[in-house]
Amino acid sequence: MKLLTKALEKKLPALYAQDGKGDNAKVYVKFFTPWTNWTWYATEYDPETGDFFGWVEGHAKEYGYFNLYELQSIKGPFGLKIERDILFETTTLGAVKSGAVQ
């Protein structure tokens, strides 16, 4: 599975473009591990570095930076890899944080 399509890359704003929007910031893509509870919600992206900014749910729920190439390199049990939720639709960060969006 391709984690970031050209169409998604075009939709994602540059890093810091949504700075100050808080829960009204838009989330454009969701990545997850099928073997754990880790999930990454991307709000911004830098195509030169592969860095995303967004909301990360893992050991804790927090804002953070994560990298496309690192996500692509992670391998779980039986060769499982990070996946992109192909049914995910653009929503607000507030909706994600409140649990209204899974």
Side-chain angles (χ1 to χ4, degrees), residues 14-34:
L15 290 180
Y16 313 110
Q18 297 196 75
D19 194 25
K21 291 186 177 181
D23 286 349
N24 292 319
K26 298 286 185 197
V27 178
Y28 294 92
V29 63
K30 172 186 173 184
F31 305 108
F32 65 95
T33 54

Side-chain angles (χ1 to χ4, degrees), residues 38-39 41 53-66:
W38 280 81
T39 307
Y41 296 92
F53 181 78
W55 185 249
V56 181
E57 296 182 356
H59 296 300
K61 295 179 180 184
E62 60 190 352
Y63 294 102
Y65 290 91
F66 46 98

